[in-house]
Amino acid sequence: MPLYHRTLLIKAKTPAERPAELTIEVKEPLVVLAGVRFRKGTSFLVHVAFFYGIKQLWPEEAGTAICGEDEFVLTAEWFRVPELPFRLTVKGWSPDSPTDSVVYIRILTLPLGIMEAFEKGLDVLKKLLAFFKEVVGI
């Protein structure tokens, strides 16, 4: 499972309208985890969001952001990328932070072979469930 690990420097007083940006080129078709590690001292003043083009992916609700204090914020996903390579943009801002901040970004993906095997297994499971539903009447 390929892991992408990057750091993003967000300067003090960076406005949301002109965020710091980092692009990660993902080469696998499925993103299963996305996370941000906030250092101690960020005091929930540093904000991060993940985008594909202009579409915000995480957090899912547009206009919101991930923030934290001395923690790793993780989202478990099953996001099938729309194209390969997939360019994921991470944006960070901190309009109220008096100091520069570094956040650590981690993206965990699955390669095509594993994803295809999982989908085949899922198809078999669906067929078994349909069979039991028909036979047992569940």
Side-chain angles (χ1 to χ4, degrees), residues 35-48:
V36 182
R37 171 75 171 105
F38 294 93
R39 287 180 163 175
K40 186 174 183 161
T42 54
S43 303
F44 295 90
L45 298 175
V46 176
H47 308 275
V48 175

Side-chain angles (χ1 to χ4, degrees), residues 128-138:
L128 280 171
L129 288 173
F131 172 75
F132 282 121
K133 185 175 182 180
E134 186 177 316
V135 171
V136 179
I138 297 175

Side-chain angles (χ1 to χ4, degrees), residues 85-105:
F86 172 66
R87 285 182 168 56
L88 179 65
T89 303
V90 183
K91 297 181 182 183
W93 59 95
S94 59
D96 299 320
S97 179
T99 60
D100 295 352
S101 299
V102 173
V103 294
Y104 303 95
I105 308 300

Side-chain angles (χ1 to χ4, degrees), residues 99-132:
T99 60
D100 295 352
S101 299
V102 173
V103 294
Y104 303 95
I105 308 300
R106 292 194 182 110
I107 304 294
L108 185 64
T109 63
L110 283 177
L112 187 59
I114 291 175
M115 189 182 84
E116 287 173 342
F118 178 82
E119 287 176 342
K120 285 179 185 175
L122 192 57
D123 286 342
V124 169
L125 182 59
K126 286 178 184 176
K127 288 176 184 174
L128 280 171
L129 288 173
F131 172 75
F132 282 121

Side-chain angles (χ1 to χ4, degrees), residues 58-102:
W58 309 297
E60 190 172 329
E61 185 180 352
T64 63
I66 302 164
C67 60
E69 162 67 24
D70 191 24
E71 64 184 306
F72 186 64
V73 180
L74 183 67
T75 179
E77 297 295 327
W78 193 258
F79 178 72
R80 192 170 193 158
V81 303
E83 63 184 343
L84 288 174
F86 172 66
R87 285 182 168 56
L88 179 65
T89 303
V90 183
K91 297 181 182 183
W93 59 95
S94 59
D96 299 320
S97 179
T99 60
D100 295 352
S101 299
V102 173

